Amino acid sequence: MKILVILLLACDCFGNVPKADVLLIPFCICGIFMHSKFYADDVNKCIKLTVLGLLLSMASCFFFRGQSLWASLQALRFYWLICFFFYLSSQNIEIKRIEKGLCLFYFIFIIAYILKWMFPSLKIGMDFNDNSIDNTKNVFLLGIFILPFGFFYYLNKLFKRFKTKYMFFVLLAVLIWFNMGSRTNIVGGIVSFLFMYFHYFPISRINIKHLKFAITLGLFIFLFLQIPIIQESLKVIQEKQQYGSTLDNQDYIRVQQFHYFTQDHFKNIFEYFLGSGMPHGTSAYGQKMLSHGEIGGIVTGWFDWGLIGLSWVVGIFTVFMLFYLYVKIVRSKLNDDFFYLKSIYLFYIITSPFAILSFEGGAFILQSYLLYIFCKKRIR
């Protein structure tokens, strides 16, 4: 229950309690001083260097853009949560408890999302209307960062011991990704799925049992794709391609954003490396960056470019340390019970350059738990 409460605070109770995640900051600060001897020194160093990069971006924003350090401190409130790892490392938490807490949050999020999807007027989180292609309503709830965990955790269980319920739990995450029309997450999910599949069923050791499993799995996927709402989502994704939501279209907003940040935004090479700073609405810089309005249509919208965009505001060094940490986990050795960690971080490597799922809206609290499990269970 403590883990569930922490996750709910991290996502502002699905957006219903603004800035609830600030209540976790004291734990992050205390954790920095409480953790003394934790054997994952390399992970500690990566996180500390990431925090150093955030501090440097604050200084850059103050010097080049005139935004106060206090405003930058507030603007980075989601990112300080990465220090929650230090608090966890000072505790002796049972891994099974963490996994149960994360699973419980996964199902609560699924229920909240489906309720908001079916009854848009419900006061749960936020909703964004996108009528540029059709009249469907895209539902958005803070807390969506839990989907990669639920997907790969239960997929790992499915591959180890085939049970229909695990297939159902996996498809819940896929259902939401399709409803969101997130091409990046769908591609990342497919590649990471194949990564895990061939880990358990390498081509060199295929037998009748593996073929039966593959046929059953293929049948489930085929039936899943026949569901009307999935068919509708596929149609929306296809129409995005047809309507020019691709990088070869110069009028596509992401192309315009890339051109702005690479050609017009930065004052010099030092600001480019350190980042121009996370904008806050109380400063002139923040008002310039945030004033163009509606979600999905602003030229200064760095967030549409995931980690690439994040490097524009918090610096290349900061993003490099995060990406290095992701790669390190994928390349490490873990036994099969925790192989889902490698798949999650491979998913992050594929999707994070173009999507914010791995670092926005309280996601660093989830990553703190995942990194804690990794440090306890990796094979040296």
Side-chain angles (χ1 to χ4, degrees):
M1 292 304 297
K2 289 181 181 178
I3 293 169
L4 176 61
V5 170
I6 289 169
L7 289 166
L8 286 170
L9 290 175
C11 71
D12 294 345
C13 299
F14 302 132
N16 291 311
V17 185
K19 298 185 179 180
D21 58 297
V22 174
L23 297 175
L24 299 174
I25 296 295
F27 293 95
C28 299
I29 297 173
C30 290
I32 294 174
F33 296 99
M34 290 171 63
H35 96 285
S36 55
K37 293 183 178 180
F38 191 59
Y39 57 76
D41 292 333
D42 49 351
V43 175
N44 283 337
K45 289 177 181 177
C46 283
I47 295 176
K48 288 177 180 177
L49 289 172
T50 300
V51 173
L52 174 62
L54 294 175
L55 293 173
L56 289 174
S57 75
M58 290 174 56
S60 172
C61 191
F62 175 74
F63 185 79
F64 293 113
R65 302 289 173 164
Q67 179 170 282
S68 70
L69 296 177
W70 174 243
S72 293
L73 194 71
Q74 296 178 75
L76 288 165
R77 65 188 181 93
F78 283 136
Y79 301 87
W80 303 124
L81 296 180
I82 194 173
C83 295
F84 192 74
F85 168 81
F86 296 129
Y87 173 76
L88 293 177
S89 68
S90 68
Q91 309 295 309
N92 186 24
I93 307 174
E94 187 180 350
I95 302 301
K96 287 296 182 184
R97 288 178 178 269
I98 293 176
E99 291 178 334
K100 288 181 179 178
L102 294 176
C103 289
L104 182 58
F105 182 72
Y106 174 66
F107 289 119
I108 290 176
F109 172 81
I110 293 290
I111 293 171
Y113 190 98
I114 292 175
L115 285 175
K116 184 70 175 180
W117 185 4
M118 296 175 61
F119 308 103
S121 60
L122 284 179
K123 300 299 181 181
I124 305 175
M126 302 175 287
D127 60 275
F128 297 152
N129 291 317
D130 182 3
N131 297 316
S132 59
I133 297 174
D134 61 7
N135 293 320
T136 60
K137 178 182 284 290
N138 292 331
V139 182
F140 175 85
L141 292 176
L142 289 175
I144 207 160
F145 57 79
I146 195 63
L147 288 184
F149 169 80
F151 178 79
F152 291 110
Y153 178 78
Y154 285 110
L155 188 64
N156 196 58
K157 285 185 172 295
L158 178 68
F159 286 156
K160 288 186 63 184
R161 186 180 179 184
F162 183 78
K163 286 188 176 181
T164 305
K165 66 176 182 179
Y166 295 145
M167 175 65 73
F168 177 71
F169 298 157
V170 167
L171 292 181
L172 287 174
V174 178
L175 180 68
I176 292 178
W177 277 332
F178 270 94
N179 175 254
M180 293 171 60
S182 175
R183 292 168 290 179
T184 303
N185 290 336
I186 292 171
V187 171
I190 292 172
V191 175
S192 302
F193 165 86
L194 293 174
F195 173 69
M196 183 181 286
Y197 180 85
F198 287 114
H199 168 76
Y200 283 103
F201 308 114
I203 296 176
S204 60
R205 290 185 289 172
I206 289 180
N207 56 38
I208 297 299
K209 181 180 178 181
H210 294 167
L211 289 175
K212 287 181 178 179
F213 179 84
I215 292 172
T216 304
L217 186 62
L219 181 61
F220 265 97
I221 294 174
F222 174 78
L223 293 175
F224 178 76
L225 293 175
Q226 306 311 307
I227 299 174
I229 54 178
I230 299 300
Q231 291 279 323
E232 185 177 337
S233 298
L234 287 172
K235 181 181 177 181
V236 171
I237 293 172
Q238 184 180 9
E239 288 178 342
K240 282 184 177 181
Q241 296 291 123
Q242 294 175 349
Y243 278 80
S245 296
T246 56
L247 297 181
D248 59 353
N249 178 10
Q250 295 301 311
D251 294 327
Y252 182 34
I253 185 61
R254 287 192 177 186
V255 174
Q256 296 179 31
Q257 290 166 345
F258 186 82
H259 181 272
Y260 167 75
F261 278 101
T262 55
Q263 303 294 327
D264 305 323
H265 180 68
F266 295 103
K267 297 180 181 298
N268 52 56
I269 190 65
F270 298 104
E271 188 186 31
Y272 190 91
F273 180 77
L274 297 175
S276 62
M278 187 65 69
H280 190 270
T282 59
S283 69
Y285 164 68
Q287 290 171 9
K288 174 187 175 182
M289 294 285 285
L290 303 172
S291 64
H292 296 281
E294 291 71 64
I295 297 299
I298 61 177
V299 175
T300 53
W302 62 267
F303 40 79
D304 281 337
W305 276 91
L307 280 183
I308 296 174
L310 186 64
S311 72
W312 297 331
V313 291
V314 301
I316 294 173
F317 174 76
T318 309
V319 169
F320 173 80
M321 293 312 306
L322 280 175
F323 202 75
Y324 171 79
L325 188 58
Y326 295 176
V327 173
K328 182 177 184 61
I329 294 172
V330 173
R331 296 185 62 185
S332 298
K333 294 182 179 180
L334 291 160
N335 66 41
D336 285 352
D337 288 335
F338 303 98
F339 191 81
Y340 65 86
L341 291 174
K342 292 167 69 74
S343 297
I344 290 173
Y345 278 92
L346 177 62
F347 175 84
Y348 285 161
I349 289 172
I350 297 169
T351 62
S352 62
F354 308 102
I356 63 175
L357 188 62
S358 66
F359 58 84
E360 185 62 275
F364 277 128
I365 289 293
L366 170 64
Q367 287 210 50
S368 294
Y369 281 115
L370 297 180
L371 291 172
Y372 176 83
I373 297 172
F374 167 75
C375 292
K376 290 286 188 179
K377 296 300 181 178
R378 67 175 169 175
I379 300 172
R380 292 177 176 273

